[in-house]
Amino acid sequence: KLALKVQAEIAFMEGELNLAGSSLQLARDLQPDDVVLANRLKFFKSEQDILTNFLRVRSTRFDCMYDATNPAIQPYLQQVLLDLEEASDAVNQVLGLQPSDRLLVLLLSPKDYVAGAPNWSNGLYDGRIRVPFDGSRAPGDNLRATFRHEYTHAALHRVGPSLPTWLHEGIAQFVEGKDWQR
């Protein structure tokens, strides 16, 4: 069961939701009374529904998925990828980090984003970076700051032991350029 759960989580972080769902379903079949597994499987299936029409574009360090049925986003994809690369460069330079694995970024409609994240947030790192971006306007400074913030969470998560939430947030806000002292 543990190997199936690990396989499912790795596939999920890489955006391979069919494999993630089938692995977790097999784990659930082995332990049908596990409520945590049931809830995680439900979440995977809802993600799979949202990402059904998504395509993937790649840059040096990122896989970026976007809704292919939304043509408004396509003119901005190269800029988004450049902004992600610049965000990772800035974070790595400030913190002296150099994560080597690829990171998945989901560009979600505001509606789909809020369905899986707090409505007060501009981005979320849950093993992947999730941001609301539908191409209704060009990427701007707020989106670039969000990329720096969320990439900081990803980098810290990947290179060391777990840090307390307050420290994670403080470092992310510092790198983002916000007042981190509060």
Side-chain angles (χ1 to χ4, degrees):
K1 176 182 111 169
L2 179 60
L4 289 168
K5 286 171 52 178
V6 169
Q7 180 182 32
E9 293 299 332
I10 290 170
F12 176 76
M13 288 191 328
E14 293 178 344
E16 302 296 334
L17 297 179
N18 289 334
L19 177 59
S22 62
S23 297
L24 207 59
Q25 183 62 59
L26 288 171
R28 175 100 167 93
D29 292 345
L30 293 172
Q31 216 166 10
D33 296 332
D34 189 326
V35 175
V36 173
L37 272 176
N39 289 336
R40 191 70 175 151
L41 184 59
K42 183 178 175 182
F43 175 71
F44 280 10
K45 288 180 179 180
S46 71
E47 283 286 291
Q48 197 168 21
D49 290 343
I50 290 170
L51 301 179
T52 298
N53 297 315
F54 276 50
L55 294 178
R56 187 181 303 242
V57 293
R58 297 177 67 120
S59 68
T60 304
R61 289 170 269 201
F62 296 93
D63 287 336
C64 190
M65 293 181 70
Y66 69 97
D67 187 350
T69 65
N70 178 3
I73 204 168
Q74 293 175 352
Y76 300 119
L77 287 173
Q78 288 307 310
Q79 185 61 53
V80 165
L81 291 171
L82 288 172
D83 290 346
L84 283 163
E85 293 292 336
E86 288 175 9
S88 68
D89 288 343
V91 170
N92 292 336
Q93 182 179 9
V94 168
L95 300 179
L97 303 175
Q98 193 59 47
S100 59
D101 54 337
R102 298 186 66 73
L103 188 59
L104 179 62
V105 177
L106 302 177
L107 303 176
L108 301 166
S109 72
K111 176 185 164 219
D112 288 338
Y113 174 77
V114 171
N119 63 0
W120 48 262
S121 65
N122 293 327
L124 178 71
Y125 173 71
D126 65 356
R128 300 125 354 130
I129 293 175
R130 303 162 55 93
V131 294
F133 182 75
D134 62 3
S136 58
R137 61 182 166 201
D141 290 338
N142 287 341
L143 185 61
R144 286 186 277 281
T146 298
F147 286 159
R148 286 191 305 275
H149 184 103
E150 299 308 328
Y151 182 78
T152 299
H153 289 308
L156 291 173
H157 181 263
R158 286 171 155 66
V159 298
S162 292
L163 298 172
T165 301
W166 64 267
L167 185 56
H168 240 280
E169 278 305 315
I171 293 170
Q173 287 187 8
F174 171 74
V175 174
E176 179 183 351
K178 284 190 174 176
D179 177 21
W180 52 272
Q181 293 181 2
R182 65 180 174 92

